[in-house]
């Protein structure tokens, strides 16, 4: 494993007990994830799980007419592949890299061995899954009831929470696909946020200048998701502090 990267950059891996981590560590493979990489398609049987460290993966639901929208994101707070240990065998969503970076890949069979021990790993992954379901349900509510500007604020804040900087590489077209709205709607919303001085946008690069402004403008959905992750994974934060 490269000295530049550390599995403990992923919150779930950082929360493992020493004995659990020691059993998984030999099987963790550091891999680069490039923008647009498709890690799984709807209906695929998953043979690996991915623990992002610096990358962000977007889960999309695809419609028969070719349309899609994001139902959740997975970054350094979680793991891609919950269907492996939830008994679903295959995933109903498409997983595509939203922000390039790195992740640790783990064979599904190895994770299931640990999960079936019925101890700390099982409880940790089930709590993460509950938090992920909260994110999915809140995204559905937000897309139905809140403005594109509020949705964009929510998306930007959730993305920032998973990144070490305030800069994002993302075109308006990709954001529109994430939110399931017209590109024109994103252009108008981004223009207003730039006019407020909250963000700077040029050539596919977004810089957040005023996070507090975004938090003032966002709907309640962001706080609901953040609170639920904090509540269910409070011991993750505690273990990370111990590691540091």
């Amino acid at each position: 494993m490269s000295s530049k990267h550390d599995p403990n950059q992923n919150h779930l891996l950082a929360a493992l007990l020493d004995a659990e981590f020691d059993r998984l560590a030999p099987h963790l493979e550091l891999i680069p994830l490039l923008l647009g990489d498709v890690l799984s398609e709807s209906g695929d049987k998953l043979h690996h799980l991915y623990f992002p460290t610096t990358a962000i993966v977007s889960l999309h639901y695809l419609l028969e007419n070719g349309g899609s929208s994001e139902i959740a994101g997975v970054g350094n707070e979680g793991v891609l592949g919950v269907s492996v240990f939830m008994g679903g065998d295959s995933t109903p969503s498409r997983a595509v890299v939203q922000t390039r970076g790195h992740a640790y890949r783990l064979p599904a069979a190895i994770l299931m061995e640990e999960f079936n021990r019925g101890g700390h790993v099982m409880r940790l992954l089930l709590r993460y899954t509950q938090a992920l379901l909260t994110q999915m349900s809140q995204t559905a509510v937000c897309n139905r009831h809140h403005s594109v500007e509020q949705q964009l604020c929510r998306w930007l804040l959730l993305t920032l929470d998973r990144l070490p900087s305030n800069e994002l590489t993302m075109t308006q077209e990709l954001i529109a696909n994430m939110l399931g709205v017209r590109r024109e709607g994103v252009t108008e919303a981004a223009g207003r946020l730039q006019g407020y001085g909250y963000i700077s946008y040029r050539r596919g690069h977004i810089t957040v200048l005023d996070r507090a402004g975004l938090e003032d403008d966002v709907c309640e959905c962001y706080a609901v998701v953040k609170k639920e992750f904090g509540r269910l994974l409070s011991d993750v934060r505690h273990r990370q502090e111990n590691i540091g």
Side-chain angles (χ1 to χ4, degrees):
M1 295 179 184
S2 170
S3 60
K4 296 181 180 179
H5 302 280
D6 184 349
N8 290 313
Q9 292 172 308
N10 178 276
H11 297 189
L12 293 183
L13 293 178
L16 297 177
L17 303 178
D18 290 341
E20 296 164 346
F21 181 80
D22 288 344
R23 287 192 292 268
L24 296 182
H27 307 282
L28 291 171
E29 177 188 4
L30 178 67
I31 61 169
L33 300 181
L34 303 180
L35 178 65
D37 279 354
V38 177
L39 302 182
S40 64
E41 293 284 4
S42 175
D44 282 356
K45 181 175 180 178
L46 302 182
H47 299 286
H48 294 87
L49 293 94
Y50 297 81
F51 294 85
T53 52
T54 55
I56 301 176
V57 180
S58 179
L59 302 181
H60 287 248
Y61 189 84
L62 304 179
L63 300 175
E64 289 183 354
N65 64 6
S68 70
S69 64
E70 183 183 68
I71 57 176
V74 179
N76 60 5
E77 82 290 346
V79 59
L80 173 68
V82 298
S83 62
V84 168
F85 54 82
M86 292 302 290
D89 193 44
S90 63
T91 176
S93 58
R94 184 187 200 210
V96 59
V97 177
Q98 166 195 318
T99 301
R100 70 178 184 178
H102 286 80
Y104 284 90
R105 185 168 64 184
L106 180 69
I110 300 298
L111 188 281
M112 284 307 302
E113 287 181 13
E114 198 64 41
F115 185 86
N116 288 333
R117 292 174 182 266
H120 176 256
V121 169
M122 183 186 73
R123 292 191 295 273
L124 180 67
L125 292 175
L126 289 178
R127 288 201 307 274
Y128 168 73
T129 301
Q130 182 176 340
L132 183 65
L133 290 173
T134 297
Q135 184 187 168
M136 290 178 174
S137 60
Q138 205 65 38
T139 298
V141 170
C142 189
N143 291 350
R144 174 67 178 82
H145 293 284
H146 296 139
S147 68
V148 175
E149 183 176 320
Q150 290 174 312
Q151 293 177 50
L152 180 57
C153 288
R154 169 183 58 81
W155 184 85
L156 287 171
L157 288 168
L158 288 173
T159 301
L160 280 181
D161 288 345
R162 299 167 172 135
L163 294 176
S165 73
N166 64 340
E167 296 187 2
L168 296 73
T169 301
M170 182 66 59
T171 65
Q172 292 187 4
E173 182 176 0
L174 285 175
I175 296 174
N177 290 336
M178 297 283 185
L179 301 180
V181 299
R182 294 183 303 108
R183 179 178 175 179
E184 292 79 4
V186 172
T187 300
E188 294 173 3
R192 287 193 293 271
L193 295 181
Q194 185 162 251
Y196 303 153
Y198 297 165
I199 67 171
S200 172
Y201 178 83
R202 65 181 183 84
R203 294 183 179 180
H205 291 270
I206 299 175
T207 302
V208 175
L209 305 174
D210 184 357
R211 179 182 176 122
L214 291 177
E215 292 176 341
D216 287 340
D217 211 24
V218 75
C219 52
E220 69 267 26
C221 298
Y222 169 68
V224 170
V225 172
K226 188 171 184 177
K227 181 179 179 180
E228 190 69 353
F229 269 94
R231 181 182 74 83
L232 291 168
L233 303 176
S234 58
D235 61 328
V236 173
R237 181 171 61 251
H238 175 69
R239 178 149 177 95
Q240 283 189 305
E241 289 171 355
N242 290 342
I243 289 173

